[in-house]
Amino acid sequence: MARPMTPDELAALGQALLAPSARIELAVLAGCLGLAVLLVWALRRAAPGSHGAVLFGDRMIDGALFPLLALGLALLAQRTLLADVPPAVFRLAPAVLVSLAVIRLAVRVLRLAFPQSGFVRVAERSLSWAVWIGVILWITGVLPMLLEELDRITWTLGSTRLSLRALLEGAFNAVVVLMLALWLSAAIEARLIQGRSDNLSMRKMAANATRALLLFVGLLIALSAAGIDLTALSVFGGAIGVGLGFGLQKLAANYVSGFVILAERSLRIGDLVKVDDFEGRITDINTRATVIRAVSGRESIVPNELLITQRVENASLAEPSLMSSTVVQVAYGTDVPVLRPKLLAALHAIPRVMKDEAHASAVHLTAFAADG
């Protein structure tokens, strides 16, 4: 991005935007944008599995690849086609395209890392406003003056002198590092979940461990980028241990229990379980809780510690085939030998009912009730 402009340069830029050469720049910029759309379309066709990815997005221009390609084409056109033309439109276009790329990249990373979270849309709007306001302040030359004023707001914390500008710049660097860590962890998690191994629980455990490790490393890098001495964190080690021992012991126990469940494979994704009179199939095992979905569609979020410390019935732990029985009452006088083949035919018509001899279905006369 170019340096901020002075008031005289802003006035000259306003006059240059009204000059005939600005129309040539607009035409070249439109051609760069159109060529970027065609390149994104061609790359999406060449990579069918790229739909929804960070670079490609869900639509043609909502990913990070479109503004990045447009920026590269614009810079190339400025150096070749418009080398003799005084820059006016192309004085602003790189800053706009860089800002758009930052917004698209951050939004796609958040949607990939937190697909079910409702705060992503709020974060997208807040980030868009912050980036566009920053670009406007940069172009108009107000941002350097604002940063100088923020640098004068200081206070002393122990032997360290901190300024508001340093804190804001450190927070920005921390956000960038954490975004990259989230992007990398989400990409690795998606690759692990879509692996060829049949053991989904082990792949889920590896994905959770990878994300935790990357976020931890990203947090350390972010703290270092924010200007915080990492050696000072050792002072808070005892306090953090006390906090985990008292206030966060349940949370820590749930996280540890989640990894234990995935490691020992006592509960797996897809198992039919019964916990506290709630019966259903495990649909997801997170680091804190396990999601169990009943046949009716209701879902129960069970903390992982409960699955370790209390009795859990797993109907599919030894083998995936289950025995299910039901009672059918018929009126007295019914020809039972004739009815049995019809009931068996109805059972065999169900796709999930096994047909082999070892698991053959059967119909038995169990009782004589009052009405049948």
Side-chain angles (χ1 to χ4, degrees):
M1 188 179 294
R3 64 175 178 82
M5 290 179 284
T6 62
D8 294 337
E9 290 175 335
L10 282 175
L13 178 62
Q15 295 179 357
L17 290 174
L18 300 177
S21 59
R23 301 175 184 177
I24 301 176
E25 291 184 89
L26 284 175
V28 174
L29 181 61
C32 293
L33 296 177
L35 183 57
V37 171
L38 292 177
L39 289 175
V40 173
W41 176 79
L43 291 174
R44 289 187 65 171
R45 286 181 62 90
S50 62
H51 182 76
V54 173
L55 291 178
F56 293 92
D58 297 323
R59 295 181 297 274
M60 193 67 67
I61 60 174
D62 68 338
L65 185 60
F66 168 72
L68 292 176
L69 286 176
L71 176 63
L73 293 173
L75 294 177
L76 181 62
Q78 185 180 13
R79 293 179 178 274
T80 56
L81 301 177
L82 303 175
D84 299 330
V85 177
V89 175
F90 275 77
R91 186 73 184 273
L92 304 177
V96 174
L97 292 175
V98 168
S99 304
L100 184 60
V102 170
I103 294 173
R104 293 301 188 194
L105 181 62
V107 170
R108 295 306 309 180
V109 168
L110 288 176
R111 289 182 179 177
L112 183 63
F114 308 102
Q116 304 297 331
S117 180
F119 86 98
V120 175
R121 185 171 295 275
V122 178
E124 177 181 359
R125 294 177 180 176
S126 303
L127 180 64
S128 300
W129 277 103
V131 171
W132 291 124
I133 290 174
V135 170
I136 294 174
L137 293 177
W138 176 271
I139 292 176
T140 56
V142 178
L143 186 60
M145 294 184 292
L146 180 62
L147 292 179
E148 291 180 1
E149 293 296 328
L150 293 177
D151 201 19
R152 297 177 183 177
I153 303 176
T154 60
W155 60 89
T156 303
L157 184 62
S159 60
T160 304
R161 177 180 175 274
L162 298 176
S163 65
L164 185 57
R165 175 180 177 177
L167 288 179
L168 292 177
E169 291 179 349
F172 175 78
N173 295 331
V175 169
V176 172
V177 172
L178 289 179
M179 282 291 179
L180 294 176
L182 281 175
W183 182 12
L184 183 59
S185 64
I188 294 176
E189 181 178 1
R191 185 63 60 88
L192 289 174
I193 294 299
Q194 296 174 359
R196 296 182 179 180
S197 175
D198 295 332
N199 193 346
L200 182 58
S201 297
M202 293 300 294
R203 285 185 277 136
K204 185 68 176 178
M205 182 186 68
N208 291 338
T210 302
R211 169 169 287 197
L213 177 61
L214 288 176
L215 287 180
F216 177 72
V217 174
L219 180 61
L220 294 181
I221 297 176
L223 292 176
S224 178
I228 299 177
D229 188 7
L230 297 181
T231 58
L233 296 179
S234 60
V235 180
F236 301 98
I240 293 176
V242 173
L244 288 176
F246 289 97
L248 301 179
Q249 57 180 349
K250 289 293 184 182
L251 183 61
N254 286 323
Y255 272 85
V256 174
S257 300
F259 284 101
V260 171
I261 290 172
L262 292 171
E264 68 179 11
R265 301 179 60 189
S266 58
L267 297 173
R268 299 161 298 186
I269 296 176
D271 284 355
L272 185 63
V273 298
K274 184 177 182 181
V275 182
D276 283 341
D277 295 330
F278 187 89
E279 186 173 0
R281 194 171 297 277
I282 297 178
T283 59
D284 195 8
I285 302 178
N286 297 317
T287 53
R288 188 193 66 83
T290 297
V291 181
I292 303 176
R293 182 180 180 87
V295 180
S296 61
R298 296 183 300 123
E299 290 186 338
S300 176
I301 302 175
V302 183
N304 290 327
E305 184 187 10
L306 295 180
L307 301 177
I308 294 292
T309 58
Q310 74 174 14
R311 176 174 173 266
V312 178
E313 296 183 16
N314 191 341
S316 55
L317 177 60
E319 58 175 322
S321 58
L322 305 174
M323 186 192 74
S324 179
S325 62
T326 185
V327 177
V328 178
Q329 185 174 359
V330 297
Y332 283 110
T334 303
D335 192 346
V336 177
V338 176
L339 180 62
R340 283 178 176 175
K342 295 181 180 180
L343 291 177
L344 289 174
L347 288 174
H348 292 160
I350 302 175
R352 294 180 60 189
V353 174
M354 304 180 70
K355 310 298 189 300
D356 58 320
E357 295 181 359
H359 303 88
S361 303
V363 178
H364 300 282
L365 180 61
T366 58
F368 293 93
D371 301 325

